[in-house]
Amino acid sequence: MKPITGSCLCGKVAFEVTGTPIKFLYCHCRSCQKSTGSIHAANLAFPGGSVRWTQGEDLIELFVDTQENPGFPRCFCRSCGSPVPKLSRNQQFWVVPSGSLDSDPGLKPTANIYWAEHAPWYVSPDQITKHEGPLVQ
Ligand SMILES: [Zn+2]
Ligand SMILES: [Zn+2]
C-alpha cells in the first residue's frame, strides 16, 4: 500500500503513514478543545508501527496534559505549533491528526466521542451556511 504523507503547517515536520486506519473519530473532550483551539479534534487511529518520520523529528515537542485529561500526551511542531501524530497513552496505536495529512486517508469519521464535554455552542456544519472562501473579502 502506498504510504499516506502528512506534515505540519510550516512543513519542517513530515511523516509517512502505512497500514490500514482503525478508526476516524471526532473528539469533543475539553483537552482536545484546548489543544486544538477549536471545537473538536478529528483524529485517525493507526496500528503501532504505522508512522515513520521523514523529517523534523527533532522539532517535535511533547506536552503531557495535567489539567483536563491528566496524562494525555500531545505532540506538536515546535516551529509552528501544529499537532502532529503521537503514540496513544498505552503505546498501542498512533493517533494522527486528520488535518495534518496531505491526502485523503480513504475513510470518513464514524463517531463523536466525549460528547458529554462538547462545546455548548456546537452546531453541525450542515446547519450553517457554506461559503467557498472567506465571508468578508
Ligand atoms: Zn511546523
Ligand atoms: Zn479529546
Side-chain angles (χ1 to χ4, degrees):
M1 189 195 286
K2 195 165 169 277
I4 303 167
T5 61
S7 53
C8 64
L9 180 59
C10 76
K12 291 177 181 165
V13 177
F15 59 91
E16 282 183 352
V17 190
T18 49
T20 307
I22 303 163
K23 281 188 188 322
F24 192 174
L25 303 170
Y26 290 165
C27 184
H28 295 261
C29 80
R30 284 295 290 152
S31 186
C32 284
Q33 290 176 32
K34 286 284 187 186
S35 69
T36 62
S38 190
I39 192 162
H40 58 69
N43 290 325
L44 291 132
F46 284 86
S50 298
V51 171
R52 187 178 76 83
W53 303 108
T54 52
Q55 63 179 52
E57 188 174 358
D58 57 318
L59 287 172
I60 298 169
E61 194 77 43
L62 169 68
F63 171 80
V64 179
D65 187 356
T66 58
Q67 302 295 317
E68 299 290 349
N69 188 348
F72 198 79
R74 303 277 172 191
C75 286
F76 58 94
C77 168
R78 194 181 307 135
S79 170
C80 69
S82 306
V84 297
K86 60 170 185 264
L87 272 172
S88 62
R89 201 171 351 193
N90 64 11
Q91 313 272 298
Q92 298 297 298
F93 55 93
W94 280 94
V95 178
V96 178
S98 56
S100 67
L101 296 179
D102 296 323
S103 56
D104 185 351
L107 79 166
K108 303 236 191 279
T110 56
N112 292 284
I113 61 170
Y114 284 88
W115 185 248
E117 298 180 24
H118 80 275
W121 42 268
Y122 177 86
V123 291
S124 165
D126 287 330
Q127 294 176 271
I128 52 181
T129 61
K130 296 182 175 73
H131 306 267
E132 293 298 324
L135 190 55
V136 176
Q137 294 289 345

